[in-house]
Amino acid sequence: MKRILSLAVTALLLLSLLGAAAFAYDPVKYDIPKAVTPPVVDGAAGDGEWDNALAVEMMPLADLNYVADANNALGEGSVFRFMWDESNLYFLISVADKSVPDSAPPYGDALNSGDGVQFGVFGPTGGEAGVGETHLFFTVHPKTDNGSPDIYEHFNIVDQIANETHGAKIASTFQNDSAYTVEGYIPWSVFATIYKNGFTDEIKGVSGQQLRISCVVMEMNGGEQSLITKGGWFDFDETDTYTLTDAPAGFVPAPETEAPVEEAPAPVAEEAPAAAAAPAAATPAAQTGDTAAIIVLLASAAAVIGAAVIKKRR
């Protein structure tokens, strides 16, 4: 029943667009970098969590297709950010909404209503839009009637995916009464599920995988609903191409460094104590007795010599 209702509403929406002005769009090619560290899903861009992520800004007039009610201020300044890893496709979407809706959409009943964002996904080979075998369409609301955010897939799974069954995650914050941010991820296992429901393209979380993604902002101003999409509406050939790459993004931890090993100080050679100066050779002191004997001897010798000289003169 949900699938039938979803397709019926989509068909009515498509019919309502037949009167819209023709929109020619040249698709842009984007690269989605790989998250080094998975972001914490809390509805806010934490410090460094989304550094170097792909950022796609909804630029007014240049490449936007105003779909329902053509509110010319819709989407201006809104930014879609993407990263990926082997487990999930991550998104952080900031919407510079300037109006307040009369009511929040009912939980589990997305169907292009209320304030929120959408992204449609084609596989690389394309196919018919709005058909679950070739086109996925995710709606994200920052707040539903039960106060919680939600993620809904329209055409293939046709159900809420932020639950234990499908494992997606979503969180939101509001900057004021209207502007908001939604953050979350869709596991690649969700894309594996779609093959059971007949999806024909292969979509995996591997480097080089290509997707065609259309970014959409939904705005309810009071009771008036508007939609805007970057690129063509439900047109594979006018949908931007996104390629998963290995370029790093997100919070990159500082490399761990080993604590420097403190080297033991080299032993300091002990200086040999200075050799004591050799004592000067001592001159033996003359003994008192020896000196006296020498004097007596010299005196005797002098006396003898003197006596001999006198004798000779006589």
Side-chain angles (χ1 to χ4, degrees):
M1 182 65 183
K2 282 186 176 180
R3 183 185 293 271
I4 294 172
L5 180 60
S6 177
L7 293 175
V9 172
T10 300
L12 290 173
L13 180 60
L14 291 172
L15 288 173
S16 71
L17 304 176
L18 292 179
F23 178 83
Y25 178 74
D26 188 14
V28 180
K29 293 183 178 180
Y30 295 106
D31 289 338
I32 301 179
K34 191 173 184 179
V36 176
T37 303
V40 176
V41 178
D42 56 6
D47 187 20
E49 284 186 329
W50 286 87
D51 285 355
N52 300 313
L54 171 64
V56 179
E57 186 172 358
M58 303 288 274
M59 300 295 291
L61 303 179
D63 56 1
L64 298 182
N65 186 3
Y66 297 92
V67 180
D69 292 332
N71 182 342
N72 290 334
L74 179 62
E76 183 175 350
S78 299
V79 181
F80 285 65
R81 289 180 172 84
F82 294 101
M83 296 188 298
W84 74 283
D85 63 17
E86 287 82 359
S87 300
N88 306 301
L89 176 64
Y90 301 97
F91 60 85
L92 177 79
I93 306 170
S94 302
V95 179
D97 196 345
K98 300 177 180 65
S99 65
V100 179
D102 282 348
S103 60
Y107 181 86
D109 189 16
L111 303 180
N112 307 311
S113 64
D115 278 350
V117 296
Q118 299 173 314
F119 41 96
V121 179
F122 288 102
T125 64
E128 187 176 354
V131 176
E133 285 74 25
T134 56
H135 193 200
L136 305 172
F137 212 73
F138 299 93
T139 287
V140 180
H141 291 114
K143 184 173 69 174
T144 59
D145 58 356
N146 69 5
S148 62
D150 70 350
I151 311 178
Y152 190 95
E153 198 288 311
H154 289 233
F155 302 139
N156 187 284
I157 297 174
V158 195
D159 198 2
Q160 285 293 323
I161 62 171
N163 51 33
E164 292 183 1
T165 302
H166 299 290
K169 193 168 184 178
I170 179 70
S172 63
T173 56
F174 282 80
Q175 285 69 63
N176 50 46
D177 289 340
S178 54
Y180 60 89
T181 299
V182 288
E183 181 180 30
Y185 60 72
I186 299 173
W188 296 113
S189 58
V190 166
F191 292 91
T193 299
I194 64 180
Y195 307 125
K196 298 177 183 178
N197 298 333
F199 199 82
T200 56
D201 254 339
E202 185 175 44
I203 297 177
K204 293 184 176 181
V206 296
S207 182
Q209 173 72 62
Q210 285 194 340
L211 306 168
R212 291 286 187 110
I213 301 177
S214 55
C215 298
V216 183
V217 175
M218 302 182 296
E219 182 184 78
M220 179 175 280
N221 182 4
E224 181 182 88
Q225 184 72 55
S226 298
L227 282 85
I228 183 175
T229 180
K230 184 180 183 303
W233 177 252
F234 274 51
D235 187 336
F236 175 83
D237 293 328
E238 292 188 350
T239 300
D240 296 332
T241 300
Y242 293 71
T243 303
L244 307 185
T245 74
D246 289 324
F251 177 72
V252 180
E256 294 184 4
T257 57
E258 295 183 2
V261 178
E262 294 186 3
E263 296 183 3
V268 178
E270 295 184 3
E271 294 183 3
T283 304
Q287 298 295 321
T288 304
D290 293 343
T291 303
I294 293 170
I295 294 172
V296 171
L297 182 61
L298 291 175
S300 298
V304 172
I305 292 171
V309 170
I310 294 171
K311 187 177 181 180
K312 187 175 181 179
R313 285 180 178 176
R314 290 179 177 175

